Amino acid sequence: MRIANAALALLLSSRGNSFFARRGTAAAVSAFGFSSPPPSYHHLSSHQQHQRQRSPWTLSPASSCNKSKNIIGERKAALFMTSTLNSLRGGSAAASFSSTTCSSSTALNSAVAEEQSTSEPVVNYRKDYEALPFFVNKINMDFKITDGKTTVTTELFIDANPDSASLKHKDLNLDGEEDAVKLLSLQINGVDAIKDEDYEIKPGKLVLKSSALSSTSTTKVTTTVEVIPEENTQLSGLYKSGPMYCTQCEATGFRRITYYPDRPDNMAVFERVRIEADKENYPVLLGNGNLMESGDLEDGRHYSVWSDPFPKPSYLFCIVAGNLGSIRDTYQTTSGRNVQLEIFSEKENVGKLDYAMESLKRSMKWDEDKFGLEYDLGIYNIVAVNDFNMGAMENKGLNVFNTAYVLADPATATDSDYERVEGVIGHEYFHNWTGNRVTCRDWFQLTLKEGLTVFRDQEFSGDMGSNAVKRIEDVRGLRGRQFNEDAGPMSHPIRPDSYINMDNFYTATVYSKGAEVIRMYNTLLTPAGFRKGMDLYFERHDGSGVTCDDFRSAMADANGVDLDQFGLWYSTSGTPTVTYSSSYDAESGTFSLTLSQKSNSDDPLHIPVSVGLIDKESGEEVVPTKVLELKEATQTFEFTDIKGDVVPSILRGFSAPVKVVPESGVVDESSLAFLAAKDTDGFNKWESGQRLFTSLIFQTMDDKQSEQTLSFVNEAFIQTLTSENMSDYSIQAYALTPPTESTLAEELDVVDPVALRQARGSVKKAIARKFQTEIRAKYDELTAAMEAESGEFKVDATSVGRRRLRNVLLDYLCSIKETAEEQKAAAELATAQYNAATGMTDKIAALAALSSMDGEGADARDAAIQKFYDDANGDALVLDKWFAVQATADLPDVLDRVKALTKHSDFTLSNPNRCRSLVSVFATNAAPFHAENGDGYSFVGGIVAELDKINPQIASRVAGSLIQWKRYDEKRGQLMKGELEKLVSMKPISDNLFEVVSRGLK
């Protein structure tokens, strides 16, 4: 599953303009819930994504009755909050709760509800993992969907666990949530079960007594339950969303459908899943696996039967019933099998599905070529609907997507939207092997499937476009968001040791840093060695739920190497630092490079550091990239037969997720300027220029600007702008763009967001003024080239890069707006691009530039904003862009504008994408959000409090913008802390929100 969302998509779509450049992907990801993306990533896949987004897009906020249905969980959280506050504040607090709740037809009984209401949240520990005493090896299900009620009959075929003799006499817990599932009947081997003798019902589970289960033969357990999808506003399990029914089961949604051991290590064959519904309203009935039969029934109803021959955990289960349109295609695998491909959406969106289909076929071909992995079923279905508020989910043979990750046409999708569609389609497809065929044993191992699959989708996207560009984009996101996460109160290893609510650990660390750990395997073992390890991994574990250690063992055994020390990456939180120093002995021709490491690990990590050497005199590379394995606290590496002094290019390709700093603490700017001009490694060439930008911006903040630094930056800028040797427009665009505010903030001990924006803006404006003629000439040259190629819209690397570069230049030109004349000229330029735009990429870049204009540019700004809204004509994804652009405006009254937009008829907190597009995006607009008067904090804090009653997952993610209070000055920090204290003292408060804010207060 990919952790990403539609509003993040909007942020990513604005690359090259002030909207993206000031905040960057990382800041976007932070507000959008990578507690974060990505995700992607994108994808962002994706359990964190769909668990965050449980409130339906088109449903109004829950009624008071619906709200009270969550009283059990709220009481539970309040009890835990009270006891924790006791320790936090050093005092005592007594809890007092109202016993008034709404009656629910799906509640099991009052005794269970009462027991649940007085239980505290459970902390889950990785060390406490215990295998099941019995496994469900096969399951059959029958869904009878009617308006207002769905009946689910389930047959479980249960066998004793042969590997757990000591557990055979233990009871089997079947998970089930009492606010969603009502038990109608229970039979064991065809005989009605006796309550308390054969089974018990406890909060959150149905307990099958070991005495009722055979230890030597298969036991058949049949349950019939009733669920009410129309009342399931959590969007977890089976729920009604607009005109369709669908399911979302990762991580623990299946227990909201029926009673089952809802954990990833129980992999069963879903042999027969029958779906029945009204044919006129729900003509499309879909399930996992292959379609076995379908037909009509009496009273205008119909059915379909699906079978998935491959064992899978319950989180991969899915059904869909709706009135959908589709496009179809076929794919022939390497072995010659034909796979039927079909992508469904609501009928009005069918015309926007072609690119998703092309991306799917490219993904299938790439996985065959790269890893020898073929698709294993005869059908591959994707469903995308407007009212599905998750990112994307890899359900076996039946992926479910938010429309933001499937729909694409030039009028509504940016280049980044197209890139994301391709990447997320790939991510979910690649899960078929890395996540479905081999899954994680328990949720602590989540990075096993997500980190690995993120790495695979990154490699796929790079191969489809530019690997150098993709690497820069991924590292920008990692540094801005994941490094920030590592430095804050939610810091955790990629394999957490404990959690209260798993929703809070679908994070940038698990996904993005997890992908970097996988990349280090690839670096250390070489791509060929990595492929050997993957082959052995599948050979050993196909059809199983395994651990991160199992993956590491496969890599080690396949290559005959010891990776025990490398395993420390899985248990170490925080971002390691690598320091360096060097010397050259001319007499012996030896260049010595000393590396030291510091991390939160008690023992040294195994860090691959890719290094190359560039001759100082000739600028030629004298030592190509070599991987140095840093395994001690300090190591010195010697390079012999070096004919002259050299400049080292360290951490090429960002070979490890670490910070690299000189041992002296003093940045050698002359070496950076040299590498920016001469380095043969594309990443480090870009990185050197970024570090020069950083030095100049920080000098400007301290009012100590160095003429030498300014000269280095200006020279690097004009050389990059006018170079005839740069064949990749996207690389050129990124090299010309200063580091984002979020990336710069990671370099500061105490962050002053207002001063940082002013300093970055000052440097950008100075460059724009100095090279205004050259920038405009390049802008006009690119415009002419684009006009000459008018016609078919292209998303190839050249076309995308050209648009990206031109929009970076537009941002520079529009930053010159101090005088009335300059304001008018900037507004005219941006308006001209807006009016001439033939696609969303150029239109949204122009709108972003206009949105921050004032004075003589204000009328043009307002006209463009209104025109964009009118042209959207109600398109939800386009309107998300409209809200987000205004939330990131660099205007003195932006908070007032955002508050006004919360009253707009198209805004609702019950739609997660819409909520994020305004509220979360505003929280990434650092200067106004961190205004010294604290108004930004109180606005977001108030929204979080309201959101927690509607969608706790979204609330906890938005609250993440407040938890880094220790990184700011005393006044700002105390104001942020004050909002956290208000939130943590709420009664009731969800587990999701409590876990985040209570950790934030530590």
Side-chain angles (χ1 to χ4, degrees):
M1 184 169 60
R2 214 42 168 107
I3 47 176
N5 49 65
L8 174 59
L10 180 277
L11 282 170
L12 293 174
S13 73
S14 303
R15 292 173 178 162
N17 57 46
S18 58
F19 182 18
F20 171 79
R22 283 202 310 272
R23 289 115 196 145
T25 307
V29 170
S30 175
F32 283 87
F34 292 178
S35 92
S36 48
S40 116
Y41 239 9
H42 308 279
H43 41 300
L44 315 171
S45 7
S46 306
H47 165 71
Q48 175 192 8
Q49 171 67 17
H50 63 245
Q51 288 290 320
R52 282 204 312 273
Q53 305 177 2
R54 287 182 172 175
S55 183
W57 289 5
T58 55
L59 295 177
S60 61
S63 66
S64 59
C65 179
N66 284 337
K67 289 177 183 177
S68 68
K69 288 173 63 180
N70 292 323
I71 194 72
I72 293 173
E74 292 167 343
R75 286 175 174 173
K76 181 175 67 173
L79 276 167
F80 183 58
M81 174 270 294
T82 303
S83 63
T84 304
L85 278 179
N86 192 24
S87 62
L88 286 174
R89 297 174 177 174
S92 62
S96 175
F97 308 107
S98 169
S99 61
T100 302
T101 62
C102 247
S103 63
S104 170
S105 63
T106 58
L108 284 170
N109 54 60
S110 58
V112 172
E114 180 62 27
E115 185 177 351
Q116 177 79 343
S117 69
T118 58
S119 62
E120 293 187 1
V122 175
V123 179
N124 300 281
Y125 294 97
R126 182 170 63 89
K127 64 181 177 61
D128 291 339
Y129 172 81
E130 188 175 76
L132 288 165
F134 298 86
F135 283 124
V136 176
N137 289 318
K138 186 175 74 171
I139 176 173
N140 296 327
M141 304 185 75
D142 191 329
F143 289 80
K144 289 184 172 61
I145 298 172
T146 59
D147 290 339
K149 180 179 69 175
T150 295
T151 302
V152 184
T153 299
T154 305
E155 295 177 340
L156 307 179
F157 296 85
I158 302 173
D159 292 294
N161 183 350
D163 298 325
S164 301
S166 62
L167 301 175
K168 286 183 180 179
H169 299 293
K170 291 193 175 183
D171 299 337
L172 176 62
N173 293 330
L174 303 182
D175 302 297
E177 294 190 6
E178 49 274 348
D179 67 338
V181 176
K182 179 181 180 181
L183 181 65
L184 301 180
S185 68
L186 171 62
Q187 292 185 326
I188 299 177
N189 291 326
V191 178
D192 289 342
I194 302 173
K195 189 176 180 181
D196 296 330
E197 180 177 326
D198 296 325
Y199 73 96
E200 291 182 277
I201 295 177
K202 294 185 176 181
K205 59 188 174 183
L206 186 156
V207 181
L208 293 177
K209 300 294 184 111
S210 62
S211 58
L213 301 173
S214 172
S215 61
T216 58
S217 61
T218 300
T219 303
K220 180 182 175 181
V221 175
T222 305
T223 61
T224 299
V225 302
E226 178 185 293
V227 297
I228 304 180
E230 294 81 359
E231 294 182 4
N232 183 4
T233 59
Q234 291 189 30
L235 305 191
S236 175
L238 175 66
Y239 64 93
K240 180 77 179 293
S241 181
M244 70 174 295
Y245 293 89
C246 60
T247 59
Q248 180 54 46
C249 294
E250 188 178 355
T252 56
F254 196 73
R255 66 191 63 187
R256 297 179 62 81
I257 297 174
T258 190
Y259 286 100
Y260 192 79
D262 191 17
R263 40 190 279 176
D265 60 348
N266 193 128
M267 299 183 71
V269 173
F270 284 67
E271 187 174 69
R272 188 178 190 275
V273 175
R274 182 181 182 276
I275 310 160
E276 177 187 320
D278 179 81
K279 186 172 183 177
E280 181 179 359
N281 293 320
Y282 311 105
V284 175
L285 303 177
L286 303 173
N288 301 103
N290 295 314
L291 177 64
M292 306 306 291
E293 61 177 285
S294 61
D296 293 335
L297 301 169
E298 296 179 353
D299 300 324
R301 295 174 65 77
H302 71 138
Y303 75 97
S304 67
V305 176
W306 297 79
S307 180
D308 184 357
F310 295 97
K312 66 173 177 283
S314 53
Y315 79 85
L316 292 172
F317 174 81
C318 184
I319 64 166
V320 171
N323 190 358
L324 305 172
S326 68
I327 64 171
R328 298 177 180 179
D329 207 333
T330 60
Y331 179 81
Q332 187 175 76
T333 67
T334 300
S335 65
R337 290 187 305 105
N338 287 321
V339 180
Q340 302 301 312
L341 311 178
E342 193 163 5
I343 303 180
F344 297 83
S345 72
E346 296 190 6
K347 291 180 178 179
E348 64 269 23
N349 292 323
V350 169
K352 302 176 184 179
L353 297 176
D354 289 340
Y355 193 74
M357 183 65 80
E358 295 170 13
S359 299
L360 175 58
K361 291 189 290 184
R362 286 194 293 268
S363 302
M364 299 175 83
K365 181 67 166 62
W366 183 87
D367 216 15
E368 290 175 346
D369 294 344
K370 190 84 168 184
F371 291 104
L373 300 175
E374 285 192 10
Y375 185 61
D376 48 14
L377 294 171
I379 296 176
Y380 192 95
N381 290 325
I382 292 175
V383 177
V385 294
N386 289 328
D387 297 327
F388 191 77
N389 67 352
M390 284 71 88
M393 180 63 209
E394 69 269 19
N395 311 304
K396 181 72 176 184
L398 179 56
N399 290 180
V400 181
F401 277 68
N402 185 317
T403 52
Y405 307 101
V406 175
L407 305 184
D409 69 3
T412 61
T414 64
D415 291 335
S416 294
D417 290 331
Y418 276 94
E419 290 171 350
R420 189 177 50 261
V421 166
E422 181 177 67
V424 178
I425 289 281
H427 180 95
E428 304 309 328
Y429 174 75
F430 301 146
H431 263 314
N432 186 59
W433 280 91
T434 52
N436 296 5
R437 291 284 290 262
V438 183
T439 192
C440 45
R441 183 194 71 179
D442 53 70
W443 290 120
F444 296 102
Q445 317 295 330
L446 180 63
T447 196
L448 175 72
K449 76 180 185 78
E450 294 300 347
L452 176 55
T453 306
V454 169
F455 169 74
R456 276 156 49 73
D457 82 52
Q458 290 174 346
E459 291 291 284
F460 165 67
S461 295
D463 287 347
M464 294 301 104
S466 164
N467 283 294
V469 171
K470 180 62 177 169
R471 191 67 186 131
I472 289 171
E473 292 171 350
D474 291 339
V475 173
R476 287 178 69 167
L478 182 84
R479 284 174 168 166
R481 173 52 193 164
Q482 196 282 317
F483 279 20
N484 178 272
E485 190 170 89
D486 262 347
M490 287 297 290
S491 178
H492 57 277
I494 64 171
R495 183 184 58 196
D497 289 319
S498 67
Y499 63 82
I500 293 174
N501 193 310
M502 190 59 204
D503 294 342
N504 291 326
F505 288 88
Y506 280 74
T507 61
T509 297
V510 168
Y511 278 67
S512 299
K513 187 175 180 179
E516 293 300 314
V517 171
I518 299 297
R519 187 175 296 277
M520 287 191 288
Y521 282 113
N522 192 66
T523 299
L524 288 167
L525 303 175
T526 74
F530 183 79
R531 169 64 189 272
K532 287 169 59 180
M534 288 285 283
D535 290 346
L536 183 58
Y537 176 64
F538 293 126
E539 179 184 331
R540 285 179 173 178
H541 303 298
D542 187 13
S544 302
V546 298
T547 68
C548 297
D549 290 336
D550 292 322
F551 181 83
R552 178 171 54 83
S553 294
M555 287 287 156
D557 294 347
N559 290 276
V561 296
D562 184 347
L563 292 173
D564 287 352
Q565 184 179 354
F566 187 82
L568 292 173
W569 280 100
Y570 288 97
S571 57
T572 302
S573 63
T575 305
T577 298
V578 172
T579 59
Y580 66 92
S581 62
S582 63
S583 62
Y584 175 64
D585 185 337
E587 183 175 346
S588 65
T590 301
F591 177 81
S592 299
L593 178 65
T594 299
L595 302 176
S596 300
Q597 62 168 292
K598 183 179 180 181
S599 73
N600 290 333
S601 173
D602 292 334
D603 299 308
L605 299 172
H606 184 177
I607 305 175
V609 182
S610 295
V611 173
L613 302 181
I614 313 294
D615 184 82
K616 277 188 176 181
E617 292 295 325
S618 66
E620 296 295 321
E621 183 178 71
V622 294
V623 175
T625 302
K626 180 178 181 180
V627 179
L628 308 180
E629 298 190 32
L630 178 60
K631 302 175 73 173
E632 300 173 11
T634 299
Q635 283 177 256
T636 297
F637 301 88
E638 292 187 346
F639 299 81
T640 58
D641 199 27
I642 305 297
K643 304 303 182 184
D645 202 359
V646 294
V647 175
S649 172
I650 303 172
L651 206 71
R652 285 185 156 186
F654 198 69
S655 58
V658 301
K659 295 181 179 180
V660 176
V661 297
E663 184 181 46
S664 64
V666 179
V667 177
D668 184 352
E669 293 180 355
S670 62
S671 291
L672 292 178
F674 177 84
L675 292 171
K678 304 294 185 181
D679 205 334
T680 59
D681 181 75
F683 179 86
N684 270 14
K685 188 180 182 75
W686 166 80
E687 170 82 339
S688 298
Q690 293 291 289
R691 291 172 69 184
L692 286 172
F693 264 129
T694 299
S695 291
L696 184 59
I697 291 168
F698 288 160
Q699 290 171 12
T700 303
M701 278 185 69
D702 296 335
D703 198 24
K704 297 178 181 179
Q705 195 174 87
S706 162
E707 288 298 321
Q708 183 184 49
T709 308
L710 179 62
S711 175
F712 284 145
V713 170
N714 285 338
E715 181 64 21
F717 184 91
I718 193 62
Q719 283 188 4
T720 301
L721 179 66
T722 60
S723 174
E724 299 295 332
N725 298 321
M726 297 194 74
S727 58
D728 193 319
Y729 288 124
S730 288
I731 292 289
Q732 194 173 7
Y734 287 135
L736 293 173
T737 304
T740 64
E741 290 178 4
S742 59
T743 298
L744 292 165
E746 288 306 301
E747 301 293 324
L748 299 172
D749 294 327
V750 178
V751 183
D752 183 339
V754 175
L756 185 58
R757 175 165 298 182
Q758 290 173 344
R760 185 181 183 279
S762 177
V763 168
K764 188 173 70 174
K765 291 173 188 175
I767 291 172
R769 288 189 180 281
K770 182 175 181 62
F771 300 113
Q772 184 175 7
T773 300
E774 293 86 348
I775 294 171
R776 183 57 191 261
K778 188 67 174 180
Y779 178 88
D780 290 342
E781 174 190 324
L782 294 168
T783 301
M786 292 168 63
E787 290 174 348
E789 292 187 1
S790 61
E792 181 185 0
F793 178 79
K794 299 178 180 179
V795 288
D796 58 90
T798 298
S799 300
V800 170
R802 185 185 287 128
R803 288 189 288 268
R804 181 172 284 138
L805 177 57
R806 190 175 77 134
N807 290 330
V808 167
L809 301 179
L810 175 69
D811 182 43
Y812 271 105
L813 294 169
C814 289
S815 71
I816 304 173
K817 53 183 179 182
E818 273 68 40
T819 68
E821 183 179 353
E822 289 172 343
Q823 291 165 1
K824 183 178 180 181
E828 288 176 349
L829 178 63
T831 299
Q833 175 168 315
Y834 183 92
N835 291 334
T838 57
M840 182 55 73
T841 299
D842 291 333
K843 180 178 288 188
I844 199 70
L847 182 65
L850 285 162
S851 69
S852 294
M853 292 188 180
D854 217 342
E856 292 299 311
D859 289 344
R861 174 199 68 211
D862 294 342
I865 288 173
Q866 185 61 49
K867 180 171 174 53
F868 191 91
Y869 177 82
D870 293 340
D871 291 345
N873 195 29
D875 186 298
L877 299 180
V878 177
L879 286 177
D880 286 340
K881 293 175 168 63
W882 182 76
F883 279 101
V885 165
Q886 295 177 81
T888 57
D890 191 8
L891 294 172
D893 63 343
V894 65
L895 177 55
D896 292 335
R897 292 170 179 269
V898 169
K899 288 180 178 179
L901 285 169
T902 63
K903 309 300 182 184
H904 194 278
S905 60
D906 286 309
F907 181 77
T908 174
L909 287 179
S910 66
N911 179 335
N913 284 345
R914 189 57 47 81
C915 173
R916 281 188 294 264
S917 70
L918 184 64
V919 180
S920 298
V921 170
F922 169 73
T924 71
N925 195 347
F929 174 62
H930 292 284
E932 284 190 311
N933 60 14
D935 286 352
Y937 306 144
S938 61
F939 166 70
V940 171
I943 293 290
V944 169
E946 188 174 354
L947 264 176
D948 198 42
K949 302 171 185 177
I950 303 169
N951 192 325
Q953 290 77 21
I954 298 294
S956 66
R957 296 310 192 252
V958 178
S961 61
L962 296 168
I963 65 175
Q964 295 277 8
W965 58 275
K966 292 181 181 179
R967 298 201 57 209
Y968 296 88
D969 61 78
E970 180 70 16
K971 182 178 180 180
R972 287 188 175 95
Q974 288 304 308
L975 289 169
M976 295 172 78
K977 184 180 179 183
E979 292 301 320
L980 293 175
E981 289 172 337
K982 291 177 188 176
L983 292 170
V984 82
S985 64
M986 292 192 314
K987 297 180 181 179
I989 181 174
S990 70
D991 290 355
N992 303 70
L993 182 58
F994 178 77
E995 184 169 23
V996 170
V997 297
S998 61
R999 287 186 63 161
L1001 284 168
K1002 292 180 180 178

